[in-house]
Amino acid sequence: TVGSGAQAQEYKTGDEVFGMIRGLPQKDRGTVAEYCIVDAKVCARRPGSVSMQGCASVPLVGITAVKMFRACGLEPRAPGPDGPRVLVTGGAGGVGTVAIQLAAQLYGASAVVATASPGEKTELCTKLGATRVVNYREGPFETTLAT
């Protein structure tokens, strides 16, 4: 942050943070700018090992993935064999890559199946934690998973 108000007690001037605005852009709160005004509640401190560009890619896809898990009634839990089995369609996409990791590490999935095209995208899904990757180009994934 360049500066912080009285309500932003968790940050101090000079901290590097990232986040996103709530709702739609508002007058005088530009987001296509180097600096903008946001609520401290929608920010997080930038980890030193992650670039600002890397951090900028997280909020929207992360929020989307978490909302998906909540809509399915899942809650964070320890990993285990009785954990939920999760299907992530589009596993190599923005939301999919985050959903695979969250399913395995935060939601304690006993299995994470992803759909992806063969090659690099399949390898990416596996590297991120998918226990099985279905090539959606070979036919309907539901048919493949039924066998």
Side-chain angles (χ1 to χ4, degrees), residues 92 116-130 133:
S117 57
E120 290 180 10
K121 293 184 177 183
T122 291
E123 291 173 18
L124 174 64
C125 292
T126 302
K127 181 180 174 184
L128 295 174
V133 182

Side-chain angles (χ1 to χ4, degrees), residues 23-109:
L24 299 173
Q26 300 169 3
K27 184 180 182 322
D28 299 326
R29 295 187 70 160
T31 58
V32 184
E34 189 172 353
Y35 303 103
C36 64
I37 298 169
V38 297
D39 294 329
K41 293 177 184 174
V42 295
C43 293
R45 193 169 276 107
R46 180 185 71 85
S49 61
V50 181
S51 69
M52 280 297 220
Q53 292 83 358
C55 289
S57 70
V58 172
L60 185 58
V61 295
I63 290 168
T64 303
V66 168
K67 284 188 172 210
M68 174 203 59
F69 287 117
R70 288 181 180 164
C72 292
L74 296 180
E75 296 290 332
R77 54 172 285 150
D82 60 336
R85 295 178 300 159
V86 176
L87 170 65
V88 178
T89 58
V95 175
T97 56
V98 173
I100 290 169
Q101 295 173 81
L102 289 175
Q105 298 173 22
L106 183 63
Y107 292 95

